[in-house]
Amino acid sequence: MPELPEVEVTRLSFAERIAGAQVVAVRVGAPLRWPLGCRPANLIGRTVGAVTRRGKYLWLPLEGHAQSRGGLLLHLGMSGSLAFNAAERTTAAGRHDHFDLVTTRGVLRLTDPRRFGAVVWSAAIDTAPATTLLARLGYEPFDAALTPSTFHAALRRRRTAVKTALLAGDIVVGAGNIYACEALFAAGIDPRVRCDRLSRPRAERLLASVRATLARALELGGSSLRDFRDTHGIDGAYQLEAQVYGREGHPCQRCGGSVRRIVQAQRSTFFCPRCQKR
Ligand SMILES: [Zn+2]
């Protein structure tokens, strides 16, 4: 599943190149998670603005004539990828290519075998349906407004296990399964600890660890972008460096004890019971 670092690196891979391009054609393939919400022809003639990211959504502003604003909210779902091909002008699509935005600078294409991805029209990022889709997102991980106190206060209001709260993304977005497991290991916190039982110093350490794991993934993504122009596999590359994720039964690289796997909210959690305290 593409996590926040992959989505951000995807954004970086085409945002500058597509800005200012004009939409010349749109091809909609098999239905995605939600309908487009406008006639594809309505997008033609519009100009692409600055692409931004919120959580795992990308916002592609499309400005039309005379005050006519709007844009597309894109999500990669479970298996989607977005590629901008500057050489393309046509849309000879494969069976998993479900959306093409053909512009004067190239084709932006969503490929998504499992079709949990989405491309949704919204008149603005702060009106429906965008607001509905973005409503439950927590802070961006590097938002300066997310201070250790804010984070600790938000944790105090929840009784769920801390790992589950990180995955839910309603306090802070971006800590997908790999990153949540690794951040908790780095912070020395047992993933089963209830949020409201975490002390302020431990919350502060956890926030710093979430930021460090995501920063490292973005760094790996940055190098893959430079070397391969390919945003795939950042989470996989990060996993190669993982201390606990995917390492059930292997020795903990810090204490030599055995890494354990448990299931929390239907997702695997990997942790070291010796290094991570309750
Ligand atoms: Zn250990």
Side-chain angles (χ1 to χ4, degrees), residues 235-242:
D235 301 323
Y238 185 88
Q239 209 177 313
L240 295 176
E241 299 184 356

Side-chain angles (χ1 to χ4, degrees), residues 28 34-43 71-73 99 118-123 128-129:
V28 178
W34 297 297
L36 179 61
C38 74
R39 291 194 309 120
N42 286 0
L43 307 181
L72 295 173
L73 202 59
F99 184 83
V119 182
V120 175
W121 168 262
S122 188

Side-chain angles (χ1 to χ4, degrees), residues 185 244 251-259 271-276:
F185 176 77
V244 285
C252 167
Q253 292 172 358
R254 191 180 293 166
C255 75
S258 193
V259 173
F271 71 109
C272 173
R274 257 198 251 170
C275 294
Q276 296 175 250

Side-chain angles (χ1 to χ4, degrees), residues 202-252:
R202 298 185 93 199
E204 181 162 357
R205 205 153 64 231
L206 179 57
L207 179 59
S209 300
V210 166
R211 285 175 167 158
T213 55
L214 290 172
R216 176 59 189 149
L218 286 167
E219 192 180 294
L220 287 170
S223 59
S224 82
L225 191 63
R226 252 193 325 277
D227 303 341
F228 316 117
R229 290 226 158 264
D230 176 10
T231 60
H232 284 290
I234 294 159
D235 301 323
Y238 185 88
Q239 209 177 313
L240 295 176
E241 299 184 356
Q243 304 282 299
V244 285
Y245 187 85
R247 302 193 70 250
E248 182 183 16
H250 289 277
C252 167

